[in-house]
Amino acid sequence: MLHFRLLGTAAGGGFPQWNCTCVTCAASRSEPERVSPRLQLQAAVWESPDAIFLLNASPDLRFQIEANLELHPRTNQGKRNTPIQGIVLTTADLDQVLGLLLLREFQPLTLYATALVRRVLEANSFFRMLGRVPHQLSWVEIQAGIPFFLGTSEIECSPFAMAGELPFYAREEGPSGPGEASLGLLLEGNGRRIAYTPAVPAITDSLRRIYARCETILVDGTFWSDEELTRTHAGTPTAQAIGHVPMSGKDGTIALLSDLPLLQKVFVHLNNTNPVLDPRSDAYDAVVRAGWTIAEDGWELAQ
Ligand SMILES: [Zn+2]
């Protein structure tokens, strides 16, 4: 079986965010039983529990490993081991790679990334901790349009190009071509097919065609509205300006994908300002009425 679990669902900064007093962050602190706190976005996929693959590596990864039994080291396999075999990187964004630094401790791992994302990480001295001894880190360079299998599993991973530049602190490694800095992933196994697209700057025809082939799509749910961030924190950019199609509005994700009714549609990567984080909000109602799921930490692909 293809197993797919979200170990965290929040955008960078988590929820509540440490330095934020916006309405949703405040509600999560005062009423956590109603407005659930969330860890930063992290996905895990596996066919066999002995070979688990992470999609990106969040800054909350240590907590996420401890909170999920499947990811624990096995007591019958020596003092040091892990079922985690590899990590597929879709970006060099800090919120999606910082967790790699928590996976050192001389553990052999395979990292799947584009040549450009690899170059960004290798240019940073911190990441040398992952390669202190021979055979600790194995790189597999991946490219949009060229499918590969995760380790020796039968899970096929097909990366596809997303628009998007390198994060600002890594621009000196650019410029990037299509799909070099940001990927979406199509995962297939045992007849299941899901798309993982936590950063969607535009819903293009090619993206719609990929979604239409899937049974489940996990889609960028960073913002409810284009002006949400600006309204909450004056002087900040719009959602579209920082590469996220908002959920609502005539040019929003819900409207643009409304003609794909048979799909299981799931929002991930929720920013702390997003009103859908409060299940009592009108925004939450609207998302659910439109047939979308707002992923919670621990969400799993139904078996
Ligand atoms: Zn906030």
Side-chain angles (χ1 to χ4, degrees):
M1 290 302 281
L2 177 69
H3 295 266
F4 183 100
R5 185 181 299 168
L6 293 171
L7 317 181
T9 52
F15 180 63
Q17 182 172 300
W18 69 280
N19 63 347
C20 190
T21 61
C22 76
V23 177
T24 36
C25 283
S28 184
R29 290 195 182 95
S30 62
E31 302 176 89
E33 64 291 345
R34 286 177 183 270
V35 182
S36 308
R38 291 159 183 266
L39 296 177
Q40 293 167 94
L41 184 64
Q42 178 66 56
V45 59
W46 67 94
E47 180 183 64
S48 152
D50 295 327
I52 293 178
F53 295 86
L54 303 177
L55 308 184
N56 297 317
S58 101
D60 293 325
L61 191 52
R62 200 188 77 80
F63 306 104
Q64 291 164 325
I65 290 171
E66 289 308 314
N68 288 272
L69 272 178
E70 291 86 346
L71 275 69
H72 289 186
R74 309 295 191 241
T75 50
N76 60 355
Q77 290 178 25
K79 287 283 191 316
R80 279 200 180 165
N81 67 84
T82 175
I84 299 170
Q85 290 205 343
I87 304 103
V88 185
L89 298 179
T90 63
T91 168
D93 193 278
L94 210 51
D95 301 318
Q96 305 279 284
V97 302
L98 260 184
L100 292 175
L101 294 174
L102 310 174
L103 298 178
R104 51 197 199 280
E105 319 299 357
F106 305 104
Q107 183 64 48
L109 290 168
T110 301
L111 262 187
Y112 302 82
T114 65
L116 182 63
V117 168
R118 175 179 180 175
R119 208 156 66 229
V120 170
L121 297 194
E122 288 189 327
N124 184 306
S125 58
F126 284 9
F127 288 93
R128 289 178 205 148
M129 282 299 287
L130 296 172
R132 286 186 66 196
V133 295
H135 313 298
Q136 187 180 345
L137 193 63
S138 308
W139 286 94
V140 175
E141 287 191 5
I142 59 173
Q143 275 182 53
I146 302 184
F148 59 95
F149 287 97
L150 294 177
T152 55
S153 79
E154 288 178 14
I155 302 173
E156 190 178 46
C157 182
S158 305
F160 51 90
M162 303 294 285
E165 284 299 310
L166 286 174
F168 75 92
Y169 47 81
R171 295 263 159 91
E172 65 205 38
E173 298 294 332
S176 56
E180 289 183 332
S182 182
L183 295 171
L185 302 175
L186 182 66
L187 296 158
E188 296 177 76
N190 300 103
R192 319 292 298 270
R193 188 182 283 149
I194 63 178
Y196 187 65
T197 52
V200 178
I203 298 191
T204 60
D205 286 343
S206 68
L207 183 59
R208 290 171 51 83
R209 280 197 296 275
I210 290 165
Y211 284 160
R213 293 172 53 211
C214 294
E215 61 168 278
T216 300
I217 59 174
L218 295 109
V219 182
D220 183 343
T222 312
F223 299 111
W224 166 249
S225 65
D226 198 33
E227 61 287 346
E228 172 184 319
L229 202 54
T230 319
R231 246 197 325 250
T232 316
H233 304 286
T236 49
T238 63
Q240 297 272 10
I242 52 171
H244 299 285
V245 179
M247 295 175 171
S248 67
K250 70 174 172 35
D251 299 320
T253 307
I254 293 173
L256 293 178
L257 297 180
S258 60
D259 59 335
L260 300 173
L262 298 179
L263 283 177
Q264 176 173 225
K265 298 182 247 191
V266 183
F267 279 125
V268 297
H269 197 262
L270 301 145
N271 194 59
N272 69 85
T273 51
N274 194 325
V276 306
L277 291 165
D278 188 337
R280 299 165 296 187
S281 67
D282 293 342
Y284 178 93
D285 268 350
V287 170
V288 172
R289 264 188 286 113
W292 283 75
T293 298
I294 298 159
E296 302 279 345
D297 292 12
W299 181 91
E300 273 187 308
L301 186 69
Q303 295 296 318

